[in-house]
Amino acid sequence: MSIHQPNVFPWLGYFDKMRQADRFILLDTVQFTKNSYQNRTQILTSHGVKWLTIPVVKEGLYGVRTDQVFIANTRLWQKEHFNILHEAYRQAPMYEARIELIRELYDSSAERLTSFSIPGIRLIKEMLQIDTELILASELPVVGTKSEYLAQLVNEVGGTVYLSGPSGRQYLDESVFHALGILVEYVQYDPIIYPQRGQQSFTNGLSALDYVFEVAECSWKEKVKA
């Protein structure tokens, strides 16, 4: 199994780790990090890479848990985002098949950041045909910090193997996992190269939205095996 913060429309590497796990815990209990992928993502437009950022209420934000962060609905950010996505992908192969589902998400009246980001993750997960079970950390009776907290989350849902990204080697205390009978493995994402309209070279690290709009009738599993 694996664990990660609920980012906004994450990149394909996020979903690659998810597809390799039987369960994936959305770590909505950690402290919110300003100017991170928790409230923004990147897409590709005719003018290059562009950030889509969800504005959040800044007052009292320091030290706040991710699931307690409120969206600053002081401007029409939903309409702005949707218009940018429309202009960027209206000629993409899968635009007509995907856009109404994206519109429904933007038309929702989400007040908290996770009320938008988590449904967005679930939506792309379905588009990529990933059947991994998603679990919210906030719904589990687990407390702790750092590696101890992660290990206890895995143990709580019966996990025996924890899949981490390569950066986990720098901060994970594997002995904490081993004490609970949990094996730690590190997975490396090998970028999937797919057609990006009008681009001479491939741009990696974009939101998975770029993939699901651009790749016509091709399942995630088929692309991984290619």
Side-chain angles (χ1 to χ4, degrees), residues 31-32 57-65:
Q31 180 178 323
F32 174 76
V57 176
K58 298 180 180 180
E59 184 177 354
L61 191 60
Y62 180 77
V64 174
R65 284 182 12 163

Side-chain angles (χ1 to χ4, degrees), residues 8-11 37 40-53 80-90 99 102 106 124 194 196-197 199 203-214:
V8 173
F9 294 134
W11 73 310
Y37 286 98
R40 64 178 186 169
T41 193
Q42 290 182 310
I43 64 166
L44 194 59
T45 72
S46 59
H47 301 291
V49 174
K50 183 174 181 59
W51 285 101
L52 293 182
T53 302
E80 176 186 337
H81 280 203
F82 189 81
N83 287 342
I84 292 172
L85 288 170
H86 169 72
E87 287 302 317
Y89 297 109
R90 59 191 175 90
I99 195 60
I102 301 297
Y106 275 106
I124 295 179
Y194 58 91
Q196 292 174 328
R197 289 167 301 110
Q199 302 300 307
T203 301
N204 189 32
L206 299 172
S207 165
L209 283 176
D210 189 74
Y211 177 89
V212 299
F213 274 128
E214 296 290 2

Side-chain angles (χ1 to χ4, degrees), residues 54-75:
I54 297 179
V56 297
V57 176
K58 298 180 180 180
E59 184 177 354
L61 191 60
Y62 180 77
V64 174
R65 284 182 12 163
T66 300
D67 62 346
Q68 299 298 318
V69 174
F70 284 85
I71 296 174
N73 286 308
T74 55
R75 62 182 177 85

